[in-house]
Amino acid sequence: ETFLGHEFSYEVDGKHHFVTPPPGNVNGEQFIMLAGETNGFRVRCEITVNSQQYMDYLDILVKPYWAPRATARFLGLVRSKYYDGVAFNRVVPNFLTQFGIGKDYFVRTKERELTIWDDFPKDIKFEPGYISFAGSGHDSRTTELFIVMPGTSQEQLDKFGENSWETPFAVIDGDVDKSALNKIYSGYGDMPPWGNGPDSSEIYDVNGYTTYLPKKFPKLDYVDRCYVVAEVGLEDENEL
């Protein structure tokens, strides 16, 4: 637990350093980011592809300095295994892939109520493979994410980010055109009212994963599990 004025220590090459964050902002928040040798946190999501016929993965490079609030929220959800088992419920080629409605009814209902404030704009332009939280208004972000698809028009890329909650915080690592993103089943089209794909409100319902998706949209692909690559095995070590 931290507080305003808290002093942090870190170690580099065997030497301890100390730093105090600048004064809090109008929301009482403080942000401090120490630049290391890495480009960010690497998260791997193992997923089904081609309508659950095969397994593949997406490597996500999280950039804390792009959007600190989004980064903290996403990593917290990954570490709590929230995304394990979630459906890719909105997959529209040349536009976006959206996911993030939790498989467990009670967990997704709880997390849906925990909104985070919008990040301060950094004027980072969206590109294919960039990842942002979805939202429905100012300070509305909860758990749902979208990934910009390859082939998205420049006109649409320019539109991403017009809403305050659309802020990239991560990117698909590597060549997005050759990634598993293009293998996720997209046959159901966009969500209502723009298409006949899965309705988010129905997925949030108590029977979203037990009845609605399996019966009406059996070909969807899913996240099997997500984890921070550098932390694999740490839980097992802590149990020893």
Side-chain angles (χ1 to χ4, degrees), residues 2 4 39 46 56 76 90 94 133 180 188 191 199 203 218 228:
T2 65
L4 292 180
N39 290 323
E46 298 173 358
D56 211 322
R90 186 185 183 192
N94 304 318
F133 274 90
Y188 292 122
M191 67 183 207
D199 187 330
I203 305 174
V228 181

Side-chain angles (χ1 to χ4, degrees), residues 26-73:
V26 294
N27 295 316
E29 298 175 299
Q30 290 177 298
F31 292 101
I32 180 170
M33 289 174 283
L34 303 177
E37 297 179 352
T38 66
N39 290 323
F41 294 91
R42 189 178 304 278
V43 170
R44 173 165 291 190
C45 290
E46 298 173 358
I47 66 173
T48 70
V49 295
N50 295 337
S51 190
Q52 304 173 46
Q53 293 186 52
Y54 307 101
M55 294 295 299
D56 211 322
Y57 63 88
L58 295 172
D59 276 344
I60 299 170
L61 190 59
V62 183
K63 306 278 193 177
Y65 39 90
W66 283 6
R69 292 169 178 156
T71 293
R73 176 64 167 159

Side-chain angles (χ1 to χ4, degrees), residues 18 45 73 75 77 80 89 95 104 108-109 143 159 197 234:
F18 299 88
C45 290
R73 176 64 167 159
L75 292 177
L77 291 167
S80 70
N89 58 289
F95 182 35
D104 183 274
R108 67 175 176 262
T109 300
T143 63
K159 288 182 179 179
L234 290 182

Side-chain angles (χ1 to χ4, degrees), residues 82-200:
Y82 176 85
Y83 292 109
D84 295 7
V86 307
F88 289 103
N89 58 289
R90 186 185 183 192
V91 185
V92 186
N94 304 318
F95 182 35
L96 59 75
T97 288
Q98 189 163 325
F99 67 104
I101 303 177
K103 183 177 181 180
D104 183 274
Y105 171 70
F106 296 103
V107 174
R108 67 175 176 262
T109 300
K110 174 185 176 183
E111 295 293 346
R112 192 182 187 187
E113 301 299 320
L114 302 177
T115 58
I116 62 172
W117 289 318
D118 296 336
D119 278 285
F120 295 106
K122 297 287 183 64
D123 295 324
I124 299 172
K125 302 299 183 183
F126 277 87
E127 298 179 13
Y130 278 31
I131 304 173
S132 168
F133 274 90
S136 57
H138 184 61
D139 295 339
S140 65
R141 299 178 297 176
T142 57
T143 63
E144 293 189 63
L145 310 170
F146 70 84
I147 309 173
V148 180
M149 292 291 281
T152 299
S153 69
Q154 187 59 54
E155 180 182 6
Q156 181 58 56
L157 290 174
D158 292 339
K159 288 182 179 179
F160 285 130
E162 289 182 352
N163 296 314
S164 62
W165 58 91
E166 293 177 349
T167 305
F169 70 91
V171 60
I172 298 297
D173 195 30
D175 188 345
V176 67
D177 291 311
K178 298 179 180 179
S179 73
L181 193 61
N182 295 303
K183 304 176 188 177
I184 299 171
Y185 185 76
S186 60
Y188 292 122
D190 206 347
M191 67 183 207
W194 304 283
N196 298 313
D199 187 330
S200 296

